[in-house]
Amino acid sequence: MKKTKVINSDLSRVIATMGHFDKLSIGDAGMPVPSSTEKIDLAVDNGIPSFMQVLNNVLEELEVQRIYLAEEIKVQNPKMLTAIKKRLPDTPITFIPHEETKKDLADCKAFVRTGEMTPYSNILLESGVTF
């Protein structure tokens, strides 16, 4: 049995296939996902699992060099923005319009759906390298 933090088989597989500059997205329960993008649906109930629980789990295994967030998070969900910045204090953030975030999902290896029910709780993680 796998001993590391990410034990969901689909999520672990996607992280293992990530290369430099590849993207993985984690988001709230309402984010529309293009049919061409793999969706790993972890949502089981309102708020379960939370966005931050899933982000923290993924960050145990994925090297991230940049994150992308919707510009709207600054006004619509500043509490989540603060939590993300606290978790990734040294990681550069690029803010883009939410509509662009949705379009960019087509270029992600996968989208991880959480049970999060707060607005703009979506992130694109750009993979870095460990050397």
Side-chain angles (χ1 to χ4, degrees), residues 26-32 51 68-81 84 95-102 114 116-124:
I26 301 169
D28 59 44
M31 186 68 152
F51 172 86
Y68 298 83
L69 299 171
E71 184 74 33
E72 293 87 344
I73 196 172
K74 294 175 184 176
V75 173
Q76 299 294 323
N77 199 347
K79 183 177 177 183
M80 184 63 74
L81 177 57
I84 293 168
F95 291 96
I96 56 178
H98 184 60
E99 287 303 315
E100 188 176 329
T101 304
K102 292 191 286 188
T114 71
E116 188 67 44
M117 297 288 184
T118 62
Y120 303 104
S121 293
N122 303 289
I123 193 169
L124 285 90

PDB file of all heavy atoms in Angstrom, residues 26-32 51 68-81 84 95-102 114 116-124:
ATOM      1  N   ILE A  26      -7.324  22.569  -9.114  1.00  0.00           N
ATOM      2  CA  ILE A  26      -8.169  22.142  -7.999  1.00  0.00           C
ATOM      3  C   ILE A  26      -9.248  23.191  -7.876  1.00  0.00           C
ATOM      4  O   ILE A  26      -8.966  24.396  -7.963  1.00  0.00           O
ATOM      5  CB  ILE A  26      -7.369  22.060  -6.685  1.00  0.00           C
ATOM      6  CG1 ILE A  26      -6.210  21.081  -6.810  1.00  0.00           C
ATOM      7  CG2 ILE A  26      -8.284  21.672  -5.517  1.00  0.00           C
ATOM      8  CD1 ILE A  26      -5.224  21.147  -5.655  1.00  0.00           C
ATOM      9  N   GLY A  27     -10.496  22.772  -7.663  1.00  0.00           N
ATOM     10  CA  GLY A  27     -11.534  23.780  -7.602  1.00  0.00           C
ATOM     11  C   GLY A  27     -12.765  23.403  -6.824  1.00  0.00           C
ATOM     12  O   GLY A  27     -12.901  22.285  -6.309  1.00  0.00           O
ATOM     13  N   ASP A  28     -13.654  24.377  -6.789  1.00  0.00           N
ATOM     14  CA  ASP A  28     -14.906  24.210  -6.057  1.00  0.00           C
ATOM     15  C   ASP A  28     -15.866  23.298  -6.815  1.00  0.00           C
ATOM     16  O   ASP A  28     -15.630  22.930  -7.964  1.00  0.00           O
ATOM     17  CB  ASP A  28     -15.539  25.570  -5.750  1.00  0.00           C
ATOM     18  CG  ASP A  28     -15.846  26.402  -6.987  1.00  0.00           C
ATOM     19  OD1 ASP A  28     -16.374  25.853  -7.978  1.00  0.00           O
ATOM     20  OD2 ASP A  28     -15.564  27.614  -6.958  1.00  0.00           O
ATOM     21  N   ALA A  29     -16.951  22.953  -6.155  1.00  0.00           N
ATOM     22  CA  ALA A  29     -17.900  21.988  -6.699  1.00  0.00           C
ATOM     23  C   ALA A  29     -18.634  22.494  -7.941  1.00  0.00           C
ATOM     24  O   ALA A  29     -19.150  21.694  -8.714  1.00  0.00           O
ATOM     25  CB  ALA A  29     -18.914  21.603  -5.620  1.00  0.00           C
ATOM     26  N   GLY A  30     -18.650  23.797  -8.160  1.00  0.00           N
ATOM     27  CA  GLY A  30     -19.420  24.341  -9.274  1.00  0.00           C
ATOM     28  C   GLY A  30     -18.633  24.659 -10.529  1.00  0.00           C
ATOM     29  O   GLY A  30     -19.211  25.079 -11.529  1.00  0.00           O
ATOM     30  N   MET A  31     -17.335  24.450 -10.530  1.00  0.00           N
ATOM     31  CA  MET A  31     -16.513  24.829 -11.679  1.00  0.00           C
ATOM     32  C   MET A  31     -16.843  23.959 -12.893  1.00  0.00           C
ATOM     33  O   MET A  31     -16.808  22.735 -12.803  1.00  0.00           O
ATOM     34  CB  MET A  31     -15.029  24.685 -11.322  1.00  0.00           C
ATOM     35  CG  MET A  31     -14.093  25.187 -12.384  1.00  0.00           C
ATOM     36  SD  MET A  31     -14.194  26.974 -12.548  1.00  0.00           S
ATOM     37  CE  MET A  31     -12.573  27.355 -13.139  1.00  0.00           C
ATOM     38  N   PRO A  32     -17.185  24.595 -14.030  1.00  0.00           N
ATOM     39  CA  PRO A  32     -17.447  23.805 -15.230  1.00  0.00           C
ATOM     40  C   PRO A  32     -16.132  23.314 -15.834  1.00  0.00           C
ATOM     41  O   PRO A  32     -15.177  24.077 -15.974  1.00  0.00           O
ATOM     42  CB  PRO A  32     -18.154  24.802 -16.162  1.00  0.00           C
ATOM     43  CG  PRO A  32     -17.671  26.143 -15.717  1.00  0.00           C
ATOM     44  CD  PRO A  32     -17.385  26.027 -14.242  1.00  0.00           C
ATOM     45  N   PHE A  51     -11.579  22.755  -0.220  1.00  0.00           N
ATOM     46  CA  PHE A  51     -10.551  23.161  -1.173  1.00  0.00           C
ATOM     47  C   PHE A  51      -9.169  23.097  -0.526  1.00  0.00           C
ATOM     48  O   PHE A  51      -8.224  22.533  -1.080  1.00  0.00           O
ATOM     49  CB  PHE A  51     -10.852  24.575  -1.678  1.00  0.00           C
ATOM     50  CG  PHE A  51      -9.748  25.165  -2.512  1.00  0.00           C
ATOM     51  CD1 PHE A  51      -9.677  24.911  -3.868  1.00  0.00           C
ATOM     52  CD2 PHE A  51      -8.785  25.979  -1.936  1.00  0.00           C
ATOM     53  CE1 PHE A  51      -8.647  25.447  -4.637  1.00  0.00           C
ATOM     54  CE2 PHE A  51      -7.756  26.522  -2.689  1.00  0.00           C
ATOM     55  CZ  PHE A  51      -7.694  26.253  -4.050  1.00  0.00           C
ATOM     56  N   TYR A  68      -2.063  30.189 -10.502  1.00  0.00           N
ATOM     57  CA  TYR A  68      -2.969  31.083 -11.210  1.00  0.00           C
ATOM     58  C   TYR A  68      -4.304  31.089 -10.470  1.00  0.00           C
ATOM     59  O   TYR A  68      -4.845  30.030 -10.153  1.00  0.00           O
ATOM     60  CB  TYR A  68      -3.179  30.605 -12.651  1.00  0.00           C
ATOM     61  CG  TYR A  68      -1.911  30.588 -13.458  1.00  0.00           C
ATOM     62  CD1 TYR A  68      -1.034  29.505 -13.388  1.00  0.00           C
ATOM     63  CD2 TYR A  68      -1.576  31.657 -14.283  1.00  0.00           C
ATOM     64  CE1 TYR A  68       0.143  29.494 -14.115  1.00  0.00           C
ATOM     65  CE2 TYR A  68      -0.397  31.647 -15.019  1.00  0.00           C
ATOM     66  CZ  TYR A  68       0.456  30.563 -14.932  1.00  0.00           C
ATOM     67  OH  TYR A  68       1.624  30.553 -15.657  1.00  0.00           O
ATOM     68  N   LEU A  69      -4.784  32.291 -10.196  1.00  0.00           N
ATOM     69  CA  LEU A  69      -6.054  32.469  -9.496  1.00  0.00           C
ATOM     70  C   LEU A  69      -6.919  33.452 -10.269  1.00  0.00           C
ATOM     71  O   LEU A  69      -6.398  34.337 -10.967  1.00  0.00           O
ATOM     72  CB  LEU A  69      -5.823  33.026  -8.088  1.00  0.00           C
ATOM     73  CG  LEU A  69      -4.995  32.184  -7.126  1.00  0.00           C
ATOM     74  CD1 LEU A  69      -4.671  32.980  -5.873  1.00  0.00           C
ATOM     75  CD2 LEU A  69      -5.730  30.903  -6.778  1.00  0.00           C
ATOM     76  N   ALA A  70      -8.218  33.345 -10.089  1.00  0.00           N
ATOM     77  CA  ALA A  70      -9.141  34.300 -10.704  1.00  0.00           C
ATOM     78  C   ALA A  70      -8.993  35.665 -10.032  1.00  0.00           C
ATOM     79  O   ALA A  70      -8.913  35.757  -8.803  1.00  0.00           O
ATOM     80  CB  ALA A  70     -10.577  33.817 -10.584  1.00  0.00           C
ATOM     81  N   GLU A  71      -8.950  36.682 -10.832  1.00  0.00           N
ATOM     82  CA  GLU A  71      -8.883  38.060 -10.342  1.00  0.00           C
ATOM     83  C   GLU A  71     -10.005  38.332  -9.332  1.00  0.00           C
ATOM     84  O   GLU A  71      -9.819  39.036  -8.346  1.00  0.00           O
ATOM     85  CB  GLU A  71      -8.988  39.020 -11.541  1.00  0.00           C
ATOM     86  CG  GLU A  71      -8.844  40.468 -11.207  1.00  0.00           C
ATOM     87  CD  GLU A  71      -7.409  40.876 -10.897  1.00  0.00           C
ATOM     88  OE1 GLU A  71      -6.467  40.330 -11.472  1.00  0.00           O
ATOM     89  OE2 GLU A  71      -7.256  41.759 -10.027  1.00  0.00           O
ATOM     90  N   GLU A  72     -11.151  37.731  -9.565  1.00  0.00           N
ATOM     91  CA  GLU A  72     -12.342  37.960  -8.745  1.00  0.00           C
ATOM     92  C   GLU A  72     -12.195  37.476  -7.308  1.00  0.00           C
ATOM     93  O   GLU A  72     -12.936  37.927  -6.422  1.00  0.00           O
ATOM     94  CB  GLU A  72     -13.557  37.280  -9.396  1.00  0.00           C
ATOM     95  CG  GLU A  72     -13.986  37.893 -10.714  1.00  0.00           C
ATOM     96  CD  GLU A  72     -13.262  37.341 -11.955  1.00  0.00           C
ATOM     97  OE1 GLU A  72     -12.193  36.690 -11.807  1.00  0.00           O
ATOM     98  OE2 GLU A  72     -13.751  37.558 -13.062  1.00  0.00           O
ATOM     99  N   ILE A  73     -11.257  36.568  -7.049  1.00  0.00           N
ATOM    100  CA  ILE A  73     -11.080  36.058  -5.683  1.00  0.00           C
ATOM    101  C   ILE A  73     -10.711  37.176  -4.709  1.00  0.00           C
ATOM    102  O   ILE A  73     -11.050  37.125  -3.528  1.00  0.00           O
ATOM    103  CB  ILE A  73     -10.034  34.912  -5.633  1.00  0.00           C
ATOM    104  CG1 ILE A  73     -10.150  34.141  -4.311  1.00  0.00           C
ATOM    105  CG2 ILE A  73      -8.624  35.435  -5.841  1.00  0.00           C
ATOM    106  CD1 ILE A  73      -9.293  32.874  -4.254  1.00  0.00           C
ATOM    107  N   LYS A  74     -10.042  38.216  -5.213  1.00  0.00           N
ATOM    108  CA  LYS A  74      -9.607  39.324  -4.350  1.00  0.00           C
ATOM    109  C   LYS A  74     -10.781  39.985  -3.643  1.00  0.00           C
ATOM    110  O   LYS A  74     -10.681  40.344  -2.463  1.00  0.00           O
ATOM    111  CB  LYS A  74      -8.861  40.383  -5.165  1.00  0.00           C
ATOM    112  CG  LYS A  74      -7.550  39.911  -5.736  1.00  0.00           C
ATOM    113  CD  LYS A  74      -6.961  40.998  -6.624  1.00  0.00           C
ATOM    114  CE  LYS A  74      -5.701  40.588  -7.315  1.00  0.00           C
ATOM    115  NZ  LYS A  74      -5.207  41.642  -8.232  1.00  0.00           N
ATOM    116  N   VAL A  75     -11.899  40.143  -4.336  1.00  0.00           N
ATOM    117  CA  VAL A  75     -13.078  40.814  -3.777  1.00  0.00           C
ATOM    118  C   VAL A  75     -14.127  39.818  -3.297  1.00  0.00           C
ATOM    119  O   VAL A  75     -14.723  39.992  -2.240  1.00  0.00           O
ATOM    120  CB  VAL A  75     -13.699  41.770  -4.826  1.00  0.00           C
ATOM    121  CG1 VAL A  75     -15.016  42.353  -4.336  1.00  0.00           C
ATOM    122  CG2 VAL A  75     -12.725  42.878  -5.187  1.00  0.00           C
ATOM    123  N   GLN A  76     -14.313  38.735  -4.060  1.00  0.00           N
ATOM    124  CA  GLN A  76     -15.401  37.798  -3.782  1.00  0.00           C
ATOM    125  C   GLN A  76     -15.072  36.746  -2.720  1.00  0.00           C
ATOM    126  O   GLN A  76     -15.977  36.171  -2.128  1.00  0.00           O
ATOM    127  CB  GLN A  76     -15.822  37.092  -5.074  1.00  0.00           C
ATOM    128  CG  GLN A  76     -16.342  38.025  -6.139  1.00  0.00           C
ATOM    129  CD  GLN A  76     -17.649  38.685  -5.748  1.00  0.00           C
ATOM    130  OE1 GLN A  76     -18.511  38.065  -5.112  1.00  0.00           O
ATOM    131  NE2 GLN A  76     -17.810  39.949  -6.098  1.00  0.00           N
ATOM    132  N   ASN A  77     -13.775  36.498  -2.490  1.00  0.00           N
ATOM    133  CA  ASN A  77     -13.408  35.482  -1.511  1.00  0.00           C
ATOM    134  C   ASN A  77     -12.022  35.771  -0.920  1.00  0.00           C
ATOM    135  O   ASN A  77     -11.103  34.950  -1.012  1.00  0.00           O
ATOM    136  CB  ASN A  77     -13.445  34.082  -2.148  1.00  0.00           C
ATOM    137  CG  ASN A  77     -13.532  32.968  -1.128  1.00  0.00           C
ATOM    138  OD1 ASN A  77     -13.325  33.191   0.063  1.00  0.00           O
ATOM    139  ND2 ASN A  77     -13.830  31.768  -1.596  1.00  0.00           N
ATOM    140  N   PRO A  78     -11.856  36.944  -0.290  1.00  0.00           N
ATOM    141  CA  PRO A  78     -10.543  37.304   0.247  1.00  0.00           C
ATOM    142  C   PRO A  78     -10.040  36.349   1.332  1.00  0.00           C
ATOM    143  O   PRO A  78      -8.831  36.190   1.501  1.00  0.00           O
ATOM    144  CB  PRO A  78     -10.751  38.717   0.789  1.00  0.00           C
ATOM    145  CG  PRO A  78     -12.218  38.850   0.992  1.00  0.00           C
ATOM    146  CD  PRO A  78     -12.869  37.967  -0.030  1.00  0.00           C
ATOM    147  N   LYS A  79     -10.945  35.705   2.042  1.00  0.00           N
ATOM    148  CA  LYS A  79     -10.540  34.746   3.079  1.00  0.00           C
ATOM    149  C   LYS A  79      -9.793  33.567   2.449  1.00  0.00           C
ATOM    150  O   LYS A  79      -8.758  33.126   2.963  1.00  0.00           O
ATOM    151  CB  LYS A  79     -11.770  34.267   3.850  1.00  0.00           C
ATOM    152  CG  LYS A  79     -11.469  33.331   4.984  1.00  0.00           C
ATOM    153  CD  LYS A  79     -12.742  32.974   5.740  1.00  0.00           C
ATOM    154  CE  LYS A  79     -12.458  31.979   6.846  1.00  0.00           C
ATOM    155  NZ  LYS A  79     -13.670  31.572   7.551  1.00  0.00           N
ATOM    156  N   MET A  80     -10.299  33.087   1.317  1.00  0.00           N
ATOM    157  CA  MET A  80      -9.630  31.972   0.631  1.00  0.00           C
ATOM    158  C   MET A  80      -8.298  32.432   0.058  1.00  0.00           C
ATOM    159  O   MET A  80      -7.303  31.705   0.125  1.00  0.00           O
ATOM    160  CB  MET A  80     -10.518  31.400  -0.476  1.00  0.00           C
ATOM    161  CG  MET A  80      -9.916  30.175  -1.159  1.00  0.00           C
ATOM    162  SD  MET A  80      -9.697  28.753  -0.046  1.00  0.00           S
ATOM    163  CE  MET A  80     -11.394  28.213   0.127  1.00  0.00           C
ATOM    164  N   LEU A  81      -8.269  33.632  -0.479  1.00  0.00           N
ATOM    165  CA  LEU A  81      -7.018  34.176  -1.015  1.00  0.00           C
ATOM    166  C   LEU A  81      -5.948  34.239   0.084  1.00  0.00           C
ATOM    167  O   LEU A  81      -4.802  33.852  -0.132  1.00  0.00           O
ATOM    168  CB  LEU A  81      -7.243  35.555  -1.624  1.00  0.00           C
ATOM    169  CG  LEU A  81      -5.999  36.272  -2.157  1.00  0.00           C
ATOM    170  CD1 LEU A  81      -5.277  35.436  -3.200  1.00  0.00           C
ATOM    171  CD2 LEU A  81      -6.382  37.640  -2.710  1.00  0.00           C
ATOM    172  N   ILE A  84      -4.650  30.728   0.781  1.00  0.00           N
ATOM    173  CA  ILE A  84      -3.758  30.258  -0.286  1.00  0.00           C
ATOM    174  C   ILE A  84      -2.386  30.919  -0.151  1.00  0.00           C
ATOM    175  O   ILE A  84      -1.351  30.250  -0.237  1.00  0.00           O
ATOM    176  CB  ILE A  84      -4.379  30.527  -1.671  1.00  0.00           C
ATOM    177  CG1 ILE A  84      -5.624  29.661  -1.872  1.00  0.00           C
ATOM    178  CG2 ILE A  84      -3.358  30.284  -2.788  1.00  0.00           C
ATOM    179  CD1 ILE A  84      -6.479  30.056  -3.065  1.00  0.00           C
ATOM    180  N   PHE A  95      -2.801  36.569 -11.435  1.00  0.00           N
ATOM    181  CA  PHE A  95      -4.252  36.720 -11.396  1.00  0.00           C
ATOM    182  C   PHE A  95      -4.770  36.898 -12.820  1.00  0.00           C
ATOM    183  O   PHE A  95      -4.228  37.700 -13.588  1.00  0.00           O
ATOM    184  CB  PHE A  95      -4.649  37.925 -10.532  1.00  0.00           C
ATOM    185  CG  PHE A  95      -4.369  37.721  -9.073  1.00  0.00           C
ATOM    186  CD1 PHE A  95      -3.194  38.206  -8.503  1.00  0.00           C
ATOM    187  CD2 PHE A  95      -5.266  37.040  -8.261  1.00  0.00           C
ATOM    188  CE1 PHE A  95      -2.924  38.026  -7.155  1.00  0.00           C
ATOM    189  CE2 PHE A  95      -5.003  36.853  -6.909  1.00  0.00           C
ATOM    190  CZ  PHE A  95      -3.839  37.345  -6.357  1.00  0.00           C
ATOM    191  N   ILE A  96      -5.802  36.137 -13.153  1.00  0.00           N
ATOM    192  CA  ILE A  96      -6.419  36.204 -14.478  1.00  0.00           C
ATOM    193  C   ILE A  96      -7.940  36.251 -14.317  1.00  0.00           C
ATOM    194  O   ILE A  96      -8.462  35.827 -13.283  1.00  0.00           O
ATOM    195  CB  ILE A  96      -6.001  34.995 -15.349  1.00  0.00           C
ATOM    196  CG1 ILE A  96      -6.347  33.665 -14.662  1.00  0.00           C
ATOM    197  CG2 ILE A  96      -4.516  35.050 -15.686  1.00  0.00           C
ATOM    198  CD1 ILE A  96      -6.019  32.418 -15.471  1.00  0.00           C
ATOM    199  N   PRO A  97      -8.656  36.769 -15.304  1.00  0.00           N
ATOM    200  CA  PRO A  97     -10.122  36.769 -15.203  1.00  0.00           C
ATOM    201  C   PRO A  97     -10.661  35.339 -15.069  1.00  0.00           C
ATOM    202  O   PRO A  97     -10.097  34.397 -15.647  1.00  0.00           O
ATOM    203  CB  PRO A  97     -10.572  37.406 -16.513  1.00  0.00           C
ATOM    204  CG  PRO A  97      -9.388  38.163 -17.010  1.00  0.00           C
ATOM    205  CD  PRO A  97      -8.182  37.409 -16.524  1.00  0.00           C
ATOM    206  N   HIS A  98     -11.751  35.195 -14.335  1.00  0.00           N
ATOM    207  CA  HIS A  98     -12.348  33.876 -14.105  1.00  0.00           C
ATOM    208  C   HIS A  98     -12.682  33.178 -15.422  1.00  0.00           C
ATOM    209  O   HIS A  98     -12.494  31.961 -15.548  1.00  0.00           O
ATOM    210  CB  HIS A  98     -13.590  34.005 -13.225  1.00  0.00           C
ATOM    211  CG  HIS A  98     -14.208  32.694 -12.863  1.00  0.00           C
ATOM    212  ND1 HIS A  98     -13.532  31.716 -12.172  1.00  0.00           N
ATOM    213  CD2 HIS A  98     -15.450  32.195 -13.100  1.00  0.00           C
ATOM    214  CE1 HIS A  98     -14.329  30.670 -11.989  1.00  0.00           C
ATOM    215  NE2 HIS A  98     -15.489  30.938 -12.548  1.00  0.00           N
ATOM    216  N   GLU A  99     -13.145  33.926 -16.389  1.00  0.00           N
ATOM    217  CA  GLU A  99     -13.474  33.327 -17.692  1.00  0.00           C
ATOM    218  C   GLU A  99     -12.235  32.694 -18.323  1.00  0.00           C
ATOM    219  O   GLU A  99     -12.324  31.642 -18.953  1.00  0.00           O
ATOM    220  CB  GLU A  99     -14.092  34.361 -18.632  1.00  0.00           C
ATOM    221  CG  GLU A  99     -15.519  34.748 -18.269  1.00  0.00           C
ATOM    222  CD  GLU A  99     -16.482  33.558 -18.225  1.00  0.00           C
ATOM    223  OE1 GLU A  99     -16.455  32.714 -19.155  1.00  0.00           O
ATOM    224  OE2 GLU A  99     -17.264  33.455 -17.257  1.00  0.00           O
ATOM    225  N   GLU A 100     -11.096  33.326 -18.147  1.00  0.00           N
ATOM    226  CA  GLU A 100      -9.846  32.768 -18.671  1.00  0.00           C
ATOM    227  C   GLU A 100      -9.447  31.518 -17.892  1.00  0.00           C
ATOM    228  O   GLU A 100      -8.940  30.549 -18.466  1.00  0.00           O
ATOM    229  CB  GLU A 100      -8.737  33.819 -18.611  1.00  0.00           C
ATOM    230  CG  GLU A 100      -7.459  33.404 -19.310  1.00  0.00           C
ATOM    231  CD  GLU A 100      -6.414  34.512 -19.320  1.00  0.00           C
ATOM    232  OE1 GLU A 100      -6.775  35.711 -19.356  1.00  0.00           O
ATOM    233  OE2 GLU A 100      -5.218  34.160 -19.282  1.00  0.00           O
ATOM    234  N   THR A 101      -9.691  31.543 -16.590  1.00  0.00           N
ATOM    235  CA  THR A 101      -9.415  30.371 -15.762  1.00  0.00           C
ATOM    236  C   THR A 101     -10.179  29.165 -16.297  1.00  0.00           C
ATOM    237  O   THR A 101      -9.623  28.072 -16.429  1.00  0.00           O
ATOM    238  CB  THR A 101      -9.808  30.628 -14.288  1.00  0.00           C
ATOM    239  OG1 THR A 101      -9.136  31.787 -13.821  1.00  0.00           O
ATOM    240  CG2 THR A 101      -9.458  29.448 -13.396  1.00  0.00           C
ATOM    241  N   LYS A 102     -11.461  29.366 -16.592  1.00  0.00           N
ATOM    242  CA  LYS A 102     -12.284  28.268 -17.113  1.00  0.00           C
ATOM    243  C   LYS A 102     -11.734  27.763 -18.446  1.00  0.00           C
ATOM    244  O   LYS A 102     -11.662  26.546 -18.668  1.00  0.00           O
ATOM    245  CB  LYS A 102     -13.738  28.709 -17.256  1.00  0.00           C
ATOM    246  CG  LYS A 102     -14.421  28.950 -15.917  1.00  0.00           C
ATOM    247  CD  LYS A 102     -15.907  29.130 -16.028  1.00  0.00           C
ATOM    248  CE  LYS A 102     -16.301  30.458 -16.597  1.00  0.00           C
ATOM    249  NZ  LYS A 102     -17.749  30.720 -16.528  1.00  0.00           N
ATOM    250  N   THR A 114     -13.551  19.466  -5.617  1.00  0.00           N
ATOM    251  CA  THR A 114     -13.718  19.328  -4.173  1.00  0.00           C
ATOM    252  C   THR A 114     -15.178  19.580  -3.813  1.00  0.00           C
ATOM    253  O   THR A 114     -15.993  19.897  -4.668  1.00  0.00           O
ATOM    254  CB  THR A 114     -12.828  20.339  -3.424  1.00  0.00           C
ATOM    255  OG1 THR A 114     -13.355  21.654  -3.603  1.00  0.00           O
ATOM    256  CG2 THR A 114     -11.381  20.289  -3.914  1.00  0.00           C
ATOM    257  N   GLU A 116     -15.955  22.095  -1.994  1.00  0.00           N
ATOM    258  CA  GLU A 116     -15.931  23.517  -1.619  1.00  0.00           C
ATOM    259  C   GLU A 116     -17.131  24.248  -2.208  1.00  0.00           C
ATOM    260  O   GLU A 116     -17.457  24.084  -3.377  1.00  0.00           O
ATOM    261  CB  GLU A 116     -14.631  24.164  -2.104  1.00  0.00           C
ATOM    262  CG  GLU A 116     -14.434  25.575  -1.609  1.00  0.00           C
ATOM    263  CD  GLU A 116     -14.214  25.644  -0.108  1.00  0.00           C
ATOM    264  OE1 GLU A 116     -13.440  24.837   0.451  1.00  0.00           O
ATOM    265  OE2 GLU A 116     -14.809  26.539   0.512  1.00  0.00           O
ATOM    266  N   MET A 117     -17.762  25.070  -1.385  1.00  0.00           N
ATOM    267  CA  MET A 117     -18.952  25.813  -1.812  1.00  0.00           C
ATOM    268  C   MET A 117     -18.776  27.316  -1.617  1.00  0.00           C
ATOM    269  O   MET A 117     -19.728  28.014  -1.285  1.00  0.00           O
ATOM    270  CB  MET A 117     -20.179  25.329  -1.030  1.00  0.00           C
ATOM    271  CG  MET A 117     -20.526  23.889  -1.262  1.00  0.00           C
ATOM    272  SD  MET A 117     -21.221  23.645  -2.892  1.00  0.00           S
ATOM    273  CE  MET A 117     -21.640  21.915  -2.822  1.00  0.00           C
ATOM    274  N   THR A 118     -17.555  27.814  -1.795  1.00  0.00           N
ATOM    275  CA  THR A 118     -17.323  29.250  -1.726  1.00  0.00           C
ATOM    276  C   THR A 118     -16.857  29.734  -3.100  1.00  0.00           C
ATOM    277  O   THR A 118     -16.198  28.987  -3.826  1.00  0.00           O
ATOM    278  CB  THR A 118     -16.281  29.610  -0.647  1.00  0.00           C
ATOM    279  OG1 THR A 118     -15.034  29.004  -0.966  1.00  0.00           O
ATOM    280  CG2 THR A 118     -16.752  29.168   0.731  1.00  0.00           C
ATOM    281  N   PRO A 119     -17.197  30.973  -3.465  1.00  0.00           N
ATOM    282  CA  PRO A 119     -16.907  31.455  -4.818  1.00  0.00           C
ATOM    283  C   PRO A 119     -15.422  31.602  -5.113  1.00  0.00           C
ATOM    284  O   PRO A 119     -14.641  31.966  -4.237  1.00  0.00           O
ATOM    285  CB  PRO A 119     -17.608  32.815  -4.867  1.00  0.00           C
ATOM    286  CG  PRO A 119     -17.717  33.254  -3.446  1.00  0.00           C
ATOM    287  CD  PRO A 119     -17.856  31.999  -2.644  1.00  0.00           C
ATOM    288  N   TYR A 120     -15.081  31.280  -6.352  1.00  0.00           N
ATOM    289  CA  TYR A 120     -13.721  31.464  -6.885  1.00  0.00           C
ATOM    290  C   TYR A 120     -12.662  30.684  -6.122  1.00  0.00           C
ATOM    291  O   TYR A 120     -11.508  31.082  -6.080  1.00  0.00           O
ATOM    292  CB  TYR A 120     -13.372  32.955  -6.975  1.00  0.00           C
ATOM    293  CG  TYR A 120     -14.379  33.694  -7.824  1.00  0.00           C
ATOM    294  CD1 TYR A 120     -15.354  34.488  -7.236  1.00  0.00           C
ATOM    295  CD2 TYR A 120     -14.372  33.558  -9.199  1.00  0.00           C
ATOM    296  CE1 TYR A 120     -16.304  35.138  -8.009  1.00  0.00           C
ATOM    297  CE2 TYR A 120     -15.322  34.206  -9.987  1.00  0.00           C
ATOM    298  CZ  TYR A 120     -16.283  34.989  -9.381  1.00  0.00           C
ATOM    299  OH  TYR A 120     -17.233  35.629 -10.157  1.00  0.00           O
ATOM    300  N   SER A 121     -13.050  29.571  -5.548  1.00  0.00           N
ATOM    301  CA  SER A 121     -12.091  28.694  -4.878  1.00  0.00           C
ATOM    302  C   SER A 121     -11.542  27.709  -5.909  1.00  0.00           C
ATOM    303  O   SER A 121     -11.839  26.514  -5.899  1.00  0.00           O
ATOM    304  CB  SER A 121     -12.763  27.948  -3.719  1.00  0.00           C
ATOM    305  OG  SER A 121     -13.112  28.857  -2.715  1.00  0.00           O
ATOM    306  N   ASN A 122     -10.767  28.267  -6.831  1.00  0.00           N
ATOM    307  CA  ASN A 122     -10.175  27.498  -7.923  1.00  0.00           C
ATOM    308  C   ASN A 122      -8.737  27.948  -8.093  1.00  0.00           C
ATOM    309  O   ASN A 122      -8.436  29.129  -7.951  1.00  0.00           O
ATOM    310  CB  ASN A 122     -10.949  27.744  -9.224  1.00  0.00           C
ATOM    311  CG  ASN A 122     -12.415  27.400  -9.087  1.00  0.00           C
ATOM    312  OD1 ASN A 122     -12.778  26.246  -8.988  1.00  0.00           O
ATOM    313  ND2 ASN A 122     -13.260  28.422  -9.051  1.00  0.00           N
ATOM    314  N   ILE A 123      -7.877  27.002  -8.422  1.00  0.00           N
ATOM    315  CA  ILE A 123      -6.456  27.304  -8.586  1.00  0.00           C
ATOM    316  C   ILE A 123      -5.893  26.448  -9.706  1.00  0.00           C
ATOM    317  O   ILE A 123      -6.316  25.301  -9.893  1.00  0.00           O
ATOM    318  CB  ILE A 123      -5.702  27.054  -7.258  1.00  0.00           C
ATOM    319  CG1 ILE A 123      -4.302  27.639  -7.285  1.00  0.00           C
ATOM    320  CG2 ILE A 123      -5.673  25.579  -6.918  1.00  0.00           C
ATOM    321  CD1 ILE A 123      -3.621  27.660  -5.908  1.00  0.00           C
ATOM    322  N   LEU A 124      -4.980  27.022 -10.435  1.00  0.00           N
ATOM    323  CA  LEU A 124      -4.187  26.266 -11.392  1.00  0.00           C
ATOM    324  C   LEU A 124      -2.768  26.229 -10.850  1.00  0.00           C
ATOM    325  O   LEU A 124      -2.189  27.276 -10.543  1.00  0.00           O
ATOM    326  CB  LEU A 124      -4.204  26.909 -12.782  1.00  0.00           C
ATOM    327  CG  LEU A 124      -5.496  26.711 -13.574  1.00  0.00           C
ATOM    328  CD1 LEU A 124      -6.465  27.828 -13.285  1.00  0.00           C
ATOM    329  CD2 LEU A 124      -5.195  26.656 -15.051  1.00  0.00           C
TER     330      LEU A 124
END
